Amino acid sequence: MSHEAQPKSTRPPFSAHTLTVSGARPNGQDNSPVNHPVTFTSTFHSHGEAGAGDRVYGRFSNPSWDGFEELLGQLEQSELPALVFSSGMAAIAAGLSLVPRGGTLVLPRHSYNGSLSLVAELEAAGVLKVRTIDITDTAASCAALVGADALWLESPTNPMLEVADLPVLLEAARTAGVLSLVDNTFATPLLQRPLAQGADVVIHSVTKTLSGHSDVILGAALTSNARLRERLHGYRTLHGAIASPMDVFLALRGMRTLSVRLERSQANAQFLAEQLSTHPAVRTVRYPGLAQDPGHDLASAQMDGFGSVIAFEAGDSAEDADRVVAAFRLITPATSLGGVETLAERRARHASEPQSVPRNLIRLSVGIEQASDLWWDLSQALAVLEG
Ligand SMILES: *Cc1c(COP(=O)(O)O)cnc(C)c1O
């Protein structure tokens, strides 16, 4: 439960890939379990004054969260453990609570639509002012920081797969005294570590690639700043945005295989993106792993891989794209991403999706199936647009 900073030098020199497997295990004494037990309790034995290290009540802390929070903290190269939340949106709401009341938030026009909707609601209520940016325009994004209070970033963006120049934007925010928050859901800490690149706060939808099996809704927030962590923790406690012990167990179990899942899904995504780019019924393919993608050079410089989400325009209309999604026989038509199974969704079917997202854009969350089977399914589905 210690929230003290662990000096980096005391950590073993293992790679993040090994840490996903070996990090944050219970101590190695005889008879201790190799996995963290799940503790179902709403309260803890306690009497007298409740001290800082005391668990006290299940909304304040639960030992079932500790292993997950420690491991994610290590992977994100945070000085402090992560904070697990009941959902990605709960973590986003906590992150946005750090923006001073009435302050100006700069955020990408193609952020996750839940983030955009929440920010719009906060703006309508007079809680904050919003400035949207095109993150592919680094100079304009930096200029938007003048007089702002906070910068929200997502890279690659959901679902447009645009890549932000993170080192430059985070440095510009720091220089301008602007709080920076990065939604790192698409990259995961194995591909990108925004705290090390200068971000103040990192947010995750743990629902996605981190847990990886489409079986939980969870979120997380990270910071190396003890004061900011205290505020995020206070938000979680007082808004009751806490996670079920069982869900956190599943997420930590999922994270143990993050490295191999990502290796496979990413290789599949690269293969499918290349195949799709030459298909006559496919217009634009968005994937930073493609040499011709506008985000390719930036992603190559700042990421350790290109991730497992692709977006492509099928045919010429929403109807064309819907016909393709309806024709899949292996790929599951569903929202969400980052699971072991491949999911496809025409994003503009959501009214909350920005108008600038093409109506025929299909987001493909590539799973760990055999690549040739996935391509078989994509080609037979795209055939409905031919002839
Ligand atoms: C899904 C998602 C979220 C929201 O997370 P939930 O766990 O669904 O609440 C936030 N950001 C991104 C990039 C996402 O893909």
Side-chain angles (χ1 to χ4, degrees), residues 197-264:
Q197 292 171 316
D200 294 310
V201 176
V202 162
I203 301 285
H204 278 285
S205 170
V206 176
T207 311
K208 314 291 168 56
T209 315
L210 287 179
S211 57
H213 295 75
S214 307
D215 52 6
V216 294
I217 298 281
L218 279 180
L222 296 108
T223 176
S224 291
N225 179 317
R227 194 181 47 82
L228 289 180
R229 191 180 190 281
E230 205 43 55
R231 288 177 64 192
L232 293 165
H233 183 265
Y235 182 99
R236 181 177 78 177
T237 301
L238 294 177
H239 290 252
I242 57 156
S244 146
M246 190 63 206
D247 288 355
V248 180
F249 171 85
L250 289 170
L252 180 53
R253 177 161 128 149
M255 268 203 322
R256 297 298 185 197
T257 57
L258 175 63
S259 177
V260 286
R261 282 188 287 109
L262 199 54
E263 187 179 319
R264 170 72 164 237

Side-chain angles (χ1 to χ4, degrees), residues 87-89 92 112 154 158 183 185-186 205 207-208 218 337:
S87 66
M89 283 310 299
I92 288 169
Y112 171 64
E154 198 181 296
N158 181 0
D183 183 332
T185 300
F186 266 40
S205 170
T207 311
K208 314 291 168 56
L218 279 180
L337 56 101

Side-chain angles (χ1 to χ4, degrees), residues 27-33:
N27 73 53
Q29 281 158 17
D30 275 355
N31 300 318
S32 62

Side-chain angles (χ1 to χ4, degrees), residues 19 73-74 99 214 225 230 240 336 346 352 360 385:
L19 280 180
Q74 287 176 12
V99 183
S214 307
N225 179 317
E230 205 43 55
S336 199
R346 185 176 70 80
S352 54
N360 60 343
L385 301 181

Side-chain angles (χ1 to χ4, degrees), residues 33 46 65 115 169 187 191 240 267 286 290 298 307 321 324 346 361 379:
S46 76
W65 303 340
S115 311
L169 289 169
L191 305 185
R286 295 167 186 272
L290 291 173
L298 266 182
V324 171
R346 185 176 70 80
L361 186 87
S379 4

Side-chain angles (χ1 to χ4, degrees), residues 266-279 282 285-292 296 306 310 375 378:
Q266 196 165 234
N268 283 353
Q270 182 74 38
F271 170 74
L272 296 179
E274 282 165 12
Q275 297 295 112
L276 285 167
S277 345
T278 61
H279 196 284
V282 171
V285 181
R286 295 167 186 272
Y287 182 63
L290 291 173
Q292 69 271 25
H296 180 70
F306 304 109
I310 299 172
W375 180 240
L378 275 164

